[in-house]
Amino acid sequence: MRYQAFLFLLLCNLLWAGNFVFGKILINEFSPMWITFLRWLIACSLLFPIAARYENLSYDMMKKILKNSWVILTCMGITGGILFNLFTYSALQFTTPTNGTLVFSLTPAITMIFSFIIWKEKISLVQLSGLIVSFLGVTTLLTGGKLMQVFQMDLNKGDLLMIGADVCWMIYAFLCKMSDRIPPVTAVALSSLIAVVIMIPFLIVQPLPIYQISTMGFNGILYVGFFASVCAFVLWNFSVRTVGTNIANLTVNLIPVYTAMITLLLGGVITGAQLWGGGMVILGLLLTSQKRNDSIEIYVSTPDVDICKSAEKCPYCAN
């Protein structure tokens, strides 16, 4: 069972990497709003039956959950369902899928910083060094290896938009902890439904050019709606329950590796700045994932708070 869980994690992160690759293709035929809307519309149509079947919830029970928790579910729908995807697909208009996933992989480091600021969570010297290395790696990506451009503000707009996506996902992770009493698939289904409803008025001002959609565009929408949303989530859910949150979270670092491999297979090019920056990001993430050592901690009197402690109940806080 444990080996099966690791296999599922490998496949899950591969599906998420494909979301960035297909997103780069889709942005040429759809607006970011339409990609986001269609993605969650497809996902909703499948997640509700899955929740009813595997979480033993009737639709009346789901309506009761929605009535009692509509505020947090709405916030989840806006941050994780709408804004995160709008930032991501907008970023892919200006940057490569490889850069996008590498900047996205900085999310745990950003979350750790905000946890320290808001909840005074302790950070060890090893983790602090990991944060520094990660940010240097992302800076290398943002500037194409020309670090002095940081002071000239001549940066890649797409990579900066991905930092916005990181912040949205971090907020979504905090909301994830607050909603840990809601069954996970049901929480995703309900928050996604809310996101779909909120987006409808905005779609009126940007009609979908149906007759211009290619076969690749149609297949890409099916991919991000079914494989990158429903299938990846179910695989993640099973794996987290089997191997635990900490081990599962480490495998998310495979997303930029998978993306680079897919890009090469499709005839793309990986630059030296991406290799150096990506290597630094992954090294930094490995350091930040290390367990704290009390002998070298930055001391703060407030007790520790683990924002992803409940991810076994709420696994979607990891992508």
Side-chain angles (χ1 to χ4, degrees):
M1 186 70 71
R2 191 174 179 85
Y3 292 108
Q4 184 182 38
F6 280 111
L7 179 62
F8 284 175
L9 284 172
L10 293 176
L11 180 57
C12 169
N13 287 289
L14 177 60
L15 295 176
W16 277 329
N19 177 54
F20 285 86
V21 176
F22 270 103
K24 183 67 174 180
I25 297 172
L26 289 172
I27 204 64
N28 295 319
E29 300 186 28
F30 301 85
S31 68
M33 181 66 74
W34 270 105
I35 300 175
T36 303
F37 175 79
L38 293 173
R39 175 182 184 178
W40 292 117
L41 183 64
I42 295 171
C44 281
S45 65
L46 298 171
L47 285 171
F48 277 102
I50 292 174
R53 171 65 177 84
Y54 292 100
E55 294 181 341
N56 298 318
L57 292 176
S58 66
Y59 290 104
D60 288 337
M61 295 172 66
M62 292 185 194
K63 288 170 60 178
K64 184 177 180 180
I65 292 174
L66 178 60
K67 181 179 179 180
N68 295 333
S69 306
W70 69 270
V71 174
I72 191 168
L73 289 171
T74 299
C75 292
M76 290 170 61
I78 293 174
T79 56
I82 299 176
L83 294 179
F84 169 76
N85 286 278
L86 287 181
F87 272 113
T88 298
Y89 295 126
S90 297
L92 290 173
Q93 295 179 90
F94 307 101
T95 191
T96 66
T98 302
N99 270 33
T101 53
L102 285 168
V103 177
F104 171 69
S105 65
L106 190 64
T107 306
I110 295 176
T111 302
M112 184 178 297
I113 292 174
F114 274 80
S115 296
F116 175 75
I117 295 173
I118 297 173
W119 286 336
K120 310 303 180 183
E121 181 176 299
K122 300 174 184 178
I123 301 178
S124 72
L125 292 180
V126 174
Q127 291 174 320
L128 183 61
S129 65
L131 291 176
I132 295 172
V133 172
S134 293
F135 278 111
L136 286 175
V138 171
T139 303
T140 302
L141 289 172
L142 290 173
T143 61
K146 301 175 182 178
L147 298 182
M148 295 305 295
Q149 285 188 5
V150 171
F151 302 100
Q152 301 172 4
M153 297 304 293
D154 183 16
L155 305 177
N156 186 306
K157 184 187 299 185
D159 295 335
L160 292 175
L161 285 170
M162 274 308 303
I163 293 179
D166 288 348
V167 174
C168 290
W169 197 262
M170 178 202 66
I171 297 173
Y172 186 58
F174 285 120
L175 295 171
C176 166
K177 176 176 175 57
M178 296 170 62
S179 65
D180 61 354
R181 293 186 178 181
I182 305 174
V185 181
T186 299
V188 175
L190 290 173
S191 61
S192 301
L193 177 61
I194 293 173
V196 167
V197 173
I198 291 175
M199 284 186 282
I200 291 176
F202 297 95
L203 299 174
I204 298 176
V205 298
Q206 44 179 279
L208 179 66
I210 299 177
Y211 299 105
Q212 299 179 15
I213 300 175
S214 66
T215 302
M216 178 63 76
F218 179 78
N219 292 334
I221 287 294
L222 291 180
Y223 178 90
V224 299
F226 179 66
F227 291 103
S229 300
V230 178
C231 293
F233 172 79
V234 173
L235 291 172
W236 179 264
N237 184 27
F238 172 84
S239 302
V240 167
R241 293 175 185 274
T242 304
V243 303
T245 304
N246 292 333
I247 294 177
N249 280 341
L250 289 176
T251 66
V252 177
N253 296 337
L254 291 171
I255 295 178
V257 178
Y258 281 139
T259 305
M261 292 172 60
I262 295 172
T263 299
L264 289 173
L265 289 174
L266 294 178
V269 178
I270 303 299
T271 66
Q274 288 175 323
L275 289 175
W276 278 104
M280 293 171 70
V281 170
I282 293 174
L283 173 61
L285 291 172
L286 291 175
L287 291 173
T288 57
S289 66
Q290 298 300 307
K291 293 182 179 180
R292 290 187 293 268
N293 186 331
D294 290 337
S295 63
I296 57 172
E297 281 180 339
I298 299 174
Y299 178 77
V300 180
S301 59
T302 303
D304 289 349
V305 178
D306 185 354
I307 67 167
C308 286
K309 184 178 180 181
S310 61
E312 294 182 13
K313 297 181 181 178
C314 184
Y316 42 87
C317 70
N319 185 29

